[in-house]
Amino acid sequence: MILSKCESKLDVDLGERSYPIFIGEGIYADASYYRKYISGSQVMVVTNETIAPLYLDKTTEALSDYELKTCILPDGEEFKTLEVLNRIYTALLKGHFTRRSTLVALGGGVIGDMTGFAAATYQRGVEFIQVPTTLLSQVDSSVGGKTGVNHLLGKNMIGAFYQPQLVLADTSTLNTLDDRQLSSGLAEVIKYGLIVDAEFFSWLEENMDALLARDPGSLAYAIERSCRCKTDVVEADEKEAGQRALLNLGHTFGHAIETGMGYGEWLHGEAVATGMCMAADLSRREGWISEQSCDRIYRLIERAKLPIEPPVELSVDRFLELMAVDKKVLDGRLRLVLLKEIGSSLVTDDFKMHNLNETLSQYGS
Amino acid sequence: MILSKCESKLDVDLGERSYPIFIGEGIYADASYYRKYISGSQVMVVTNETIAPLYLDKTTEALSDYELKTCILPDGEEFKTLEVLNRIYTALLKGHFTRRSTLVALGGGVIGDMTGFAAATYQRGVEFIQVPTTLLSQVDSSVGGKTGVNHLLGKNMIGAFYQPQLVLADTSTLNTLDDRQLSSGLAEVIKYGLIVDAEFFSWLEENMDALLARDPGSLAYAIERSCRCKTDVVEADEKEAGQRALLNLGHTFGHAIETGMGYGEWLHGEAVATGMCMAADLSRREGWISEQSCDRIYRLIERAKLPIEPPVELSVDRFLELMAVDKKVLDGRLRLVLLKEIGSSLVTDDFKMHNLNETLSQYGS
């Protein structure tokens, strides 16, 4: 048995919709972390077939004081659809869950996004708690209230902004994560360094080997610092009017890769890693970031065992086509997050089309 | 050609999310009413196969300054589903609609609810405008921001609170409404008199014949006064914590009838009309409302050509079963809207189960 040990607590301050993030070891199995944040008597744990055998028993034990049901979904980004979402609604209705229910999302980003959207829309809104079990979801999707599902024609095109009551980021759940998933999470960790925190980027250069070796202390520090970076950006701009868009560094390129290759072929973090390299490349062509800084970026991403080149299958034209339905396109103009320097970024549509074409064709056919 | 004539304007005051309701004749076809409330360049009109031949041409003409697309759905409550909602998302994505788009809901409550929910969730939220074309949607669903779709196991179980930018309630569209639909709308009009406005109830007793004869002035007055009643209640309580629940008079019984008979068999207003009679009956058994007042209620509802008795197919047990998944059930206790007097109502779970059983069995098997 793991003794529950809370390493740190962050507060995401959004007025009425504020909530805490606890980071620690074994905390997801500790009833005392949940109690204050559940106001009704009905709780449904939503998880998937991979996570259920690993962590469901201890979660339900911790929640045994409540009228408890579970909903187990298939595992994978390809199941982040309206149809699978509907299974959550069906389970809630069959269980006679009222508006005062709480949903607990136990799993990675897909489970978190879908459960959050189910909570946002079941009976026009019930409470929910995030228990992210992957590094990616601990540092990214559990902070900021973005929820939703994919559409065949675009990723995350259906959704809502909706905040959880509580996030429990438990480092002990990372021990069962496969290497590729761990690296995928590290892509988002590196992103925070790139967009707002040069010092953290240097820390990552020092500690990448420890992170890959899953050193608990290093992981907890990286999660906490990442969550702080994201929290700072989200607090400043909850509805993504401006500043928050910086979090999309690498994502416009990355979404194009994910959509173009078919959901599930590339992991989200892998696509984002390559997207960040492309954003760095375009920033260099625009004359902002130095060649040396670009090399540091490629090198760190490579050391995290992440891809730095887009799939050869995607032509320039296909890239442009895929990016045209991206939701960061305002009035038909493509806006991208670019880098002024490591730790300093901006959202802009002020770049030369020929530079973008070169970035896209540098690797493509 | 109808000359555009605005009879009155109401402001629904919800802070940041405030919006106006214009009531008049021919206003939906007048470009000047829309212009101020559309901030982007892309507009999609969502309507159905019944409404499109009647009002779509004039609507698209009024919106011809914008990059315009239309999405025509099948007509009927049975199409208020996630699957049909998905057609709106698909049309938006195929048309490369961005986050700065505006959706226009041209139709009755089903179109308004679905389009509003599509707007609430497409790319996590775009703007929308309501052009309700039935009396029911003009006095009810276009005010208050409730949006959503049905689930096989319950009505309106999936949805969001989301406010439009603007509502245009055009009395000229009521000329094509069939008699049964008109009566269905009158059920909600009568409801406002019952819950908060005794004077309006008396006015309705005086003017029911004029309303059934579709006298434009009488209709405009009834719409305006109904919207004011609803606006007052909604402003006091946007998220339905307490006061707003009064708007559900007759709805818990009504939803049970609609669900039990299968969507589309009973019109919403018909089910609500019968539900209000049942609420009046239970209120009388509890000793609140007098027999005389009850009779006035039954008589006015009957004069509006609405049913006052539930379908014989529904047994007491079936009624109770259907009401148990209603979202107004808090922690397993059934809460109902009951009448203290005409124009005075309350939400309560403090009624005797044997009285409820008698209300349910009075008509049932």
Side-chain angles (χ1 to χ4, degrees), chain A residues 17-52:
Chain A
R17 294 178 306 287
S18 299
Y19 62 92
I21 302 172
F22 293 96
I23 300 161
E25 225 177 327
I27 57 178
Y28 84 95
D30 185 336
S32 63
Y33 284 98
Y34 297 90
R35 210 160 288 140
K36 227 179 105 181
Y37 302 93
I38 297 177
S39 60
S41 60
Q42 295 176 301
V43 175
M44 178 167 289
V45 180
V46 182
T47 187
N48 69 33
E49 288 162 353
T50 307
I51 296 299

Side-chain angles (χ1 to χ4, degrees), chain A residues 139-155:
Chain A
V139 301
D140 180 30
S141 53
S142 66
V143 187
K146 284 193 179 180
T147 70
V149 296
N150 297 328
H151 187 283
L152 215 59
L153 300 176
K155 225 173 114 65

